[in-house]
Amino acid sequence: MTLPYMIHTSISHTLKRLLKIILPLWLQVTIRKKLWSKIYNEGRDGERESKRILKYLRKGNVKKVVIVYDNFSSPPTFGDYFLLVMFARYFIARGVAVSFLIVDGEYRLDWSALNEDETKNLVARYVQTANLLLDPSLATVEVITSLKLQARIRGHIDQGVDVPFREEVINRTQIYRHMFNTLSPLCFESSQRCVDRFLLSFDELERKVVFKKPEQPYITWHVRHSEKWGLERNNSNEEFLQIYDRLKALYPHHAIVIVSDEVGCFRFKELASQYDLNLLFSKDYSNSLLGDGGLILGSDYLFVLRSGGMGVFALFSRLPSELIIEPGAVVPWRHERLTSWATDNQIFRYSNRKKEIWPTLGVMDKSNSAPRKP
């Protein structure tokens, strides 16, 4: 089941590179403008929904919200799913009850890269993640079919129950792409106390998840090696070696923990052995995604170049970080800050700017959290 999708992904990436060479510059600029227009419109959709939500919350007549993650219109990726969990967590931080629904049984094309057991295991991890990160006194988590969802939505027309992005939910179109553009204005208009409850911390994950923390001071570096999808987000050997050298220069007294899945850790352990690199690996300290998140939040800094979805743990926390990524439909809140709650030591840059893809944020001075040279 995986081979057709792998071939499709490889061809798509190759085609993109060829088009950059073949197409004249003026046509490339036109295409980029249209793409940015689409991203801008999606950003406005998120902003409009945030205004609607704030209006209802301020009136005080929202007793419960229904948050829906539909596998039919969403990818089998942890990072995108995590956005909906954090969306639900925002309402809980406001003291509003949440019904969190995962619609299962029908799948988007990219789910074909998983076999039946892998699909069941991923959905089970989805449920576990929501149960761990959403306060059980205010949240329920349920896996349902589309037919049951439609009946549930019709039953929620009563006053006091709100379904964010109701039309998208009914029409089964993706909503995960709107999450940052919705959450940034929501948090900007919320109290600091609410935002603090909404964000993740090491202390919270340490209480809820099993993992070991290295004894010495350490930083984390998220890398991926996938042969199923997103091949263009894998780090090359050359990039890996250059990033390693820069991180060692910036953090000479810290261990470096590679955060990846089993496949990634195995791949980069081989590379570390080949080039005699001094690295630790997350799978020696954690056997779960949330455990990996705990390792990230227990570190002094996270670096990401493209890679996968583990950067969400830094994005939804106060952890110093540099994320060199392509954020899709996200409209950055301001220059080098992806979200409204990002601090000055939480840096975002586009990964297509080749001269700006390297680590730059040195050891943090805890007295003022401003970066300084090592």
Side-chain angles (χ1 to χ4, degrees):
M1 293 178 68
T2 62
L3 186 58
Y5 185 78
M6 290 167 59
I7 293 172
H8 176 267
T9 303
S10 179
I11 291 173
S12 296
H13 181 47
T14 303
L15 183 60
K16 286 178 183 177
R17 291 196 300 177
L18 285 173
L19 288 175
K20 284 185 178 180
I21 298 171
I22 297 170
L23 293 179
L25 183 59
W26 68 266
L27 186 53
Q28 292 184 41
V29 171
T30 302
I31 292 171
R32 287 196 193 101
K33 284 183 178 179
K34 288 185 177 180
L35 177 61
W36 271 106
S37 176
K38 180 181 178 182
I39 292 173
Y40 177 72
N41 288 335
E42 291 193 10
R44 293 186 66 182
D45 290 341
E47 186 178 4
R48 277 195 296 268
E49 185 66 5
S50 70
K51 289 179 179 178
R52 188 195 67 80
I53 291 168
L54 285 169
K55 179 181 177 181
Y56 278 89
L57 288 175
R58 285 165 179 163
K59 287 182 177 179
N61 55 7
V62 177
K63 299 174 184 176
K64 179 188 285 187
V65 296
V66 178
I67 306 297
V68 178
Y69 189 82
D70 192 341
N71 291 336
F72 177 74
S73 56
S74 306
T77 49
F78 178 76
D80 296 312
Y81 169 75
F82 198 84
L83 300 179
L84 269 294
V85 175
M86 295 305 297
F87 189 41
R89 191 174 163 102
Y90 170 80
F91 291 99
I92 290 172
R94 296 285 299 250
V96 177
V98 170
S99 174
F100 190 86
L101 305 178
I102 301 168
V103 184
D104 195 39
E106 299 172 272
Y107 305 98
R108 210 171 81 163
L109 174 63
D110 38 8
W111 283 77
S112 65
L114 306 181
N115 61 37
E116 185 176 348
D117 287 340
E118 289 172 329
T119 296
K120 288 180 180 178
N121 289 337
L122 181 58
V123 174
R125 287 202 297 271
Y126 282 176
V127 173
Q128 179 190 40
T129 299
N131 279 325
L132 283 170
L133 296 182
L134 303 180
D135 184 346
S137 69
L138 286 171
T140 59
V141 180
E142 187 179 353
V143 179
I144 65 172
T145 65
S146 174
L147 287 176
K148 288 184 178 180
L149 171 69
Q150 300 301 328
R152 192 80 61 89
I153 295 298
R154 287 194 295 272
H156 284 320
I157 297 178
D158 323 356
Q159 187 176 6
V161 178
D162 186 61
V163 183
F165 296 99
R166 178 186 290 271
E167 290 302 313
E168 288 86 346
V169 168
I170 292 173
N171 294 325
R172 306 192 73 184
T173 58
Q174 57 192 18
I175 64 173
Y176 64 91
R177 291 169 62 89
H178 298 301
M179 288 301 98
F180 277 114
N181 298 327
T182 305
L183 282 167
S184 272
L186 285 175
C187 288
F188 185 74
E189 296 292 338
S190 299
S191 68
Q192 188 61 54
R193 184 181 177 187
C194 173
V195 175
D196 288 341
R197 286 198 299 264
F198 160 70
L199 294 177
L200 299 169
S201 69
F202 171 75
D203 291 341
E204 178 183 359
L205 289 193
E206 187 181 35
R207 291 194 309 269
K208 296 179 177 179
V209 185
V210 176
F211 64 94
K212 295 185 297 181
K213 182 183 178 184
E215 293 183 2
Q216 68 269 49
Y218 68 97
I219 61 172
T220 43
W221 173 15
H222 173 43
V223 289
R224 77 192 291 273
H225 180 76
S226 175
E227 297 177 353
K228 290 188 175 182
W229 54 66
L231 306 186
E232 70 278 4
R233 290 187 284 126
N234 291 343
N235 289 168
S236 68
N237 289 1
E238 182 182 2
E239 289 171 339
F240 187 83
L241 295 172
Q242 289 190 52
I243 292 169
Y244 173 82
D245 287 341
R246 295 203 181 208
L247 289 176
K248 290 297 288 184
L250 289 167
Y251 293 87
H253 304 300
H254 283 68
I256 301 175
V257 178
I258 294 291
V259 178
S260 193
D261 59 11
E262 290 84 356
V263 174
C265 283
F266 180 80
R267 169 73 183 90
F268 293 109
K269 273 187 178 181
E270 286 186 329
L271 201 60
S273 176
Q274 180 181 349
Y275 289 97
D276 194 26
L277 309 181
N278 186 15
L279 293 167
L280 304 177
F281 295 87
S282 61
K283 289 303 122 189
D284 294 327
Y285 296 87
S286 157
N287 61 4
S288 69
L289 283 166
L290 288 178
D292 290 349
L295 282 173
I296 289 172
L297 294 181
S299 70
D300 288 331
Y301 163 84
L302 170 70
F303 179 78
V304 177
L305 172 60
R306 298 187 302 271
S307 297
M310 297 303 291
V312 292
F313 288 99
L315 285 169
F316 290 105
S317 72
R318 302 294 189 194
L319 179 71
S321 58
E322 279 182 281
L323 306 184
I324 319 301
I325 58 176
E326 289 302 311
V330 182
V331 178
W333 189 254
R334 59 189 176 95
H335 178 62
E336 292 195 343
R337 305 295 180 269
L338 198 62
T339 67
S340 64
W341 59 84
T343 63
D344 288 342
N345 58 16
Q346 293 180 302
I347 296 172
F348 146 78
R349 292 193 297 275
Y350 288 100
S351 61
N352 61 0
R353 298 173 182 172
K354 298 300 183 183
K355 294 181 180 180
E356 300 178 4
I357 65 173
W358 311 113
T360 62
L361 194 61
V363 179
M364 305 306 299
D365 183 346
K366 296 183 183 299
S367 65
N368 58 18
S369 75
R372 58 182 175 84
K373 297 291 183 181

